[in-house]
Amino acid sequence: MKFDGSTWTQYRTPEGFVNCATSGVVVDRNNIVWYGTNGAGLWSYNGTKWTIYRDVKSEFSSDYFRVLASDYVNALALDEKGTLWVSSARSLNSFDGTVWKTYPLGKDIPPLSLTGLTIDPREVKWFGSDRGLISFDGAAWKLYDRSNSGIPGDVMDGYTTVRTVLADEKGVIWLSTGAQGEYTDKNGLTSFDGTTWKTITLPGIGGNVVNSVVVDKNNVKWFATSNENSLSSFDGTSWKKYPEGPITQAGNSIMVDSQNRSWFCTNTGVSCLDGALWKNYTTADGLPGGAVYAAAEDDDGILWFGTDQGACSFDGLRWTSYNEVIKSMGGNPINSLAVDQGNVKWFGSNGYGVLSFDGKTWRHFTSSDGLSGDHVRTIAVDKNNIVWLGTGTVVNSDRGLSCFDGRVWKAWSYTPGVMPVWSAVTGIAVDRDNVKWIVDETDSAVYSFDGISWKTYNSQWSGNGGYLSIAIDNDGVKWLGSKNIGAVSFRESEETPTIVSSGNVPPKAAAITGIYPNPFNPSTTIEFILPSPGNVTLDVYDIMGRIVRRLLSMQVSAGKCTVLWDGRDDSGRSVSSGVYISLLTMGNQSIMKKMLLMK
């Protein structure tokens, strides 16, 4: 995709490209775009034609021009002469526009995968690897590891893993360090000027695996991460970490109660922050369970906790255990919790569906009742008191999204062109307009559903997320906790959604079918319908005919679609009260409709 500062343009690629992750993109002096992929080689696009460069040992069609030593391209870079350099899994390749060259690793460099590439002002190439930092000056290779240098960083199997590298204009090499898997929390930032190594301590979140995000009544964002100092907060200006006070164990979730106290659930108990005072609760304090996974507050001010043993409640003085009744229904451990508008408590279990408790009667629902799966990961209640549940694990087919209106279950199944596909729904949040926002553990996208249409906010902005949680702050900003890259925030008005049609029968002509609410404050949804797929623009003008905001400019599927306008202009500023015009353009057809912003 291409972004010119205001509009995203999507380019359809040949079969094969879309099935692989893109590992790097550069544009050369001839305006040719080069794409590295994870398993499909190197691709170039000159504006009209795609060319594929693949492994010489590849078993693909003979139509491919085979030059690379591996189909796994890790990084791309251009030097001062315009030569393209390609870091593949076990070698370095260069292309000057005519001739390809392959540079095997030096004999002193152990077999490894090169994970990054940068070129310093002296034309030395620098690489990240799972053994340390590597340089190549065109003749000699050199490995900087713990045996021959002062490279800092966290160690896995005795080596420092360098994830990415960057050379600045002074020739200083900047590198991020840290291993994958259970070590992802320990990434760090290091600089190397050719002589001295320095480790930089960054402000911000306390780890890269963010299990939970919540927003308190003062609009402070709280983050629970999977490391020992696992609680962080952000007030919009500064970050704060809490190395002392809470139980220093992996943070599973956070809940903010009606008194604005933060309850921090960990693998050994729960901690409460009330102003500046901490109070820890473990089994020694009466907590009927060891690890605490989830928390919620009911309408009577009673706190409920999901634990490895089942569930319990706390009135501030006494703990009440419901472990036995939950165990009898096959529902422990409990890893998600919510309270609906009827004060009914909902408990999501790990493999046994969901349980509900209205204060007198327990009920048990499983996939046989209509859930999308029995591994319930997250629960949310919308403004219509409909309960939404995210299910699934990465390794099985027990996955999806369900909702329950008190009488009927509905399981949302993937439908091409209508509804997204999920592997494991791990976070659901409901905004002020009752739009549901959904994240997936295996995906880098975020989805929204307004009751009519789905929108997908793609990984053009989100990196390699894999999201575990989502929360919405008082300004409408979405905060995402990931399992790879820490926390991500975004406002949908700053992104371009990929709009999926609702599957309705296309009309004979394009039309704006509704603007709701109207009048509105601060946001409204513009609904339109298309007779056929096509390039569509949707603009907002003021009453003087000046353009205020371009909401959409992209290829859209036939059918009914919706776009949210948050009352901001193209600069992100809130506009004043008044009449505004929505203008939908498709081909030679234009449709206008008025809307009134009242503050």
Side-chain angles (χ1 to χ4, degrees):
M1 303 185 75
K2 181 179 76 174
F3 183 56
D4 63 6
S6 61
T7 303
W8 286 95
T9 303
Q10 184 173 4
Y11 294 89
R12 298 294 178 185
T13 56
E15 185 67 27
F17 181 91
V18 293
N19 294 324
C20 292
T22 301
S23 55
V25 180
V26 295
V27 181
D28 68 18
R29 295 177 180 179
N30 298 317
N31 210 32
I32 295 175
V33 185
W34 296 85
Y35 297 87
T37 72
N38 250 340
L42 177 71
W43 298 57
S44 69
Y45 182 64
N46 65 5
T48 57
K49 179 184 177 183
W50 289 93
T51 303
I52 311 170
Y53 304 87
R54 305 207 69 153
D55 185 351
V56 293
K57 301 181 294 300
S58 151
E59 297 179 359
F60 291 87
S61 165
S62 59
D63 293 337
Y64 293 125
F65 179 35
R66 305 174 181 177
V67 292
L68 296 180
S70 172
D71 283 338
Y72 287 85
V73 175
N74 293 318
L76 306 173
L78 292 164
D79 65 18
E80 291 295 324
K81 299 176 182 178
T83 299
L84 175 70
W85 293 84
V86 182
S87 162
S88 60
R90 295 180 183 274
S91 69
L92 178 65
N93 305 268
S94 69
F95 181 55
D96 62 5
T98 304
V99 178
W100 281 94
K101 293 182 181 180
T102 297
Y103 303 85
L105 297 179
K107 63 179 181 179
D108 297 327
I109 306 296
L112 42 78
S113 293
L114 306 179
T115 57
L117 169 61
T118 189
I119 303 174
D120 71 16
R122 297 178 297 125
E123 294 295 313
V124 176
K125 287 74 183 176
W126 295 84
F127 307 88
S129 79
D130 55 6
R131 296 295 183 93
L133 180 67
I134 299 171
S135 67
F136 178 61
D137 63 6
W141 292 83
K142 183 174 181 180
L143 171 65
Y144 298 85
D145 62 15
R146 286 181 171 264
S147 68
N148 64 6
S149 74
I151 184 171
D154 293 283
V155 179
M156 182 178 183
D157 298 329
Y159 300 101
T160 294
T161 298
V162 178
R163 306 296 298 277
T164 57
V165 290
L166 176 68
D168 66 20
E169 60 184 11
K170 296 180 180 179
V172 176
I173 308 302
W174 296 83
L175 50 143
S176 65
T177 61
Q180 300 186 32
E182 61 182 302
Y183 296 92
T184 49
D185 277 342
K186 300 181 178 180
N187 294 344
L189 181 65
T190 298
S191 68
F192 178 54
D193 63 5
T195 304
T196 305
W197 298 88
K198 292 183 180 179
T199 299
I200 292 86
T201 301
L202 298 175
I205 206 159
N208 287 334
V209 181
V210 180
N211 294 318
S212 178
V213 184
V214 298
V215 181
D216 70 17
K217 298 181 186 302
N218 297 322
N219 210 28
V220 176
K221 277 63 71 174
W222 294 85
F223 306 86
T225 60
S226 291
N227 67 338
E228 290 186 355
N229 296 327
S230 52
L231 180 63
S232 305
S233 67
F234 179 58
D235 63 6
T237 304
S238 59
W239 287 89
K240 185 176 181 180
K241 298 177 185 177
Y242 298 84
E244 298 178 357
I247 302 170
T248 55
Q249 290 289 329
N252 297 317
S253 67
I254 309 171
M255 185 269 293
V256 177
D257 67 17
S258 57
Q259 300 179 49
N260 208 31
R261 297 176 300 184
S262 297
W263 294 83
F264 181 46
C265 303
T266 79
N267 285 342
T268 54
V270 62
S271 298
C272 175
L273 177 60
D274 184 1
L277 300 177
W278 284 98
K279 172 65 176 176
N280 296 327
Y281 300 90
T282 66
T283 53
D285 303 293
L287 172 68
V292 181
Y293 301 126
E297 181 183 20
D298 70 16
D299 294 348
D300 301 317
I302 305 297
L303 303 178
W304 294 80
F305 299 91
T307 73
D308 56 351
Q309 302 298 315
C312 57
S313 65
F314 182 55
D315 64 4
L317 297 174
R318 297 180 304 275
W319 292 90
T320 302
S321 172
Y322 297 89
N323 292 344
E324 290 304 317
V325 65
I326 290 177
K327 184 178 180 180
S328 70
M329 304 174 81
N332 62 313
I334 297 298
N335 53 22
S336 54
L337 248 171
V339 179
D340 70 18
Q341 295 170 18
N343 207 27
V344 176
K345 276 63 73 174
W346 292 85
F347 305 85
S349 73
N350 187 19
Y352 300 96
V354 64
L355 298 90
S356 69
F357 180 54
D358 62 5
K360 296 181 179 180
T361 305
W362 286 87
R363 302 174 70 188
H364 186 199
F365 304 94
T366 67
S367 54
S368 62
D369 298 297
L371 272 77
S372 54
D374 290 326
H375 293 267
V376 180
R377 305 289 296 276
T378 183
I379 309 174
V381 181
D382 72 12
K383 298 183 183 301
N384 296 323
N385 203 31
I386 295 175
V387 181
W388 294 80
L389 302 96
T391 64
T393 63
V394 176
V395 296
N396 66 23
S397 59
D398 174 17
R399 56 193 63 173
L401 180 71
S402 305
C403 66
F404 183 60
D405 63 4
R407 297 179 298 107
V408 179
W409 284 95
K410 181 175 182 180
W412 298 85
S413 301
Y414 170 61
T415 305
V418 177
M419 208 201 75
V421 59
W422 295 295
S423 291
V425 174
T426 45
I428 306 172
V430 181
D431 69 16
R432 62 183 64 148
D433 297 315
N434 207 31
V435 176
K436 272 62 72 175
W437 293 85
I438 299 154
V439 295
D440 187 311
E441 183 179 1
T442 63
D443 208 340
S444 295
V446 180
Y447 306 98
S448 68
F449 179 59
D450 62 3
I452 300 174
S453 299
W454 292 91
K455 298 178 187 176
T456 302
Y457 297 83
N458 278 323
S459 56
Q460 63 198 25
W461 53 270
S462 63
N464 61 342
Y467 295 113
L468 300 175
S469 56
I470 181 170
I472 304 173
D473 71 15
N474 300 346
D475 301 316
V477 178
K478 282 69 183 176
W479 292 84
L480 317 175
S482 86
K483 66 177 183 179
N484 296 313
I485 57 174
V488 173
S489 67
F490 86 102
R491 188 190 298 273
E492 67 271 21
S493 59
E494 297 171 355
E495 318 299 333
T496 301
T498 299
I499 299 185
V500 182
S501 76
S502 62
N504 294 343
V505 177
K508 294 182 179 180
I512 297 177
T513 54
I515 298 176
Y516 50 89
N518 191 18
F520 68 95
N521 180 29
S523 62
T524 189
T525 298
I526 302 168
E527 180 184 277
F528 62 90
I529 195 165
L530 304 179
S532 60
N535 288 315
V536 172
T537 59
L538 181 62
D539 297 310
V540 176
Y541 288 82
D542 64 18
I543 199 65
M544 302 300 294
R546 297 169 297 200
I547 188 167
V548 174
R549 179 72 173 275
R550 170 150 288 184
L551 297 174
L552 190 68
S553 179
M554 64 184 296
Q555 180 82 11
V556 179
S557 304
K560 186 178 292 184
C561 303
T562 58
V563 175
L564 178 72
W565 181 40
D566 64 350
R568 296 175 183 267
D569 62 17
D570 276 329
S571 299
R573 297 185 295 265
S574 296
V575 300
S576 58
S577 300
V579 176
Y580 293 87
I581 309 295
S582 60
L583 176 64
L584 176 70
T585 304
M586 181 181 180
N588 58 5
Q589 187 179 7
S590 297
I591 304 98
M592 293 187 295
K593 210 155 200 176
K594 292 182 180 180
M595 45 193 172
L596 176 62
L597 172 59
M598 297 180 64
K599 294 186 175 181

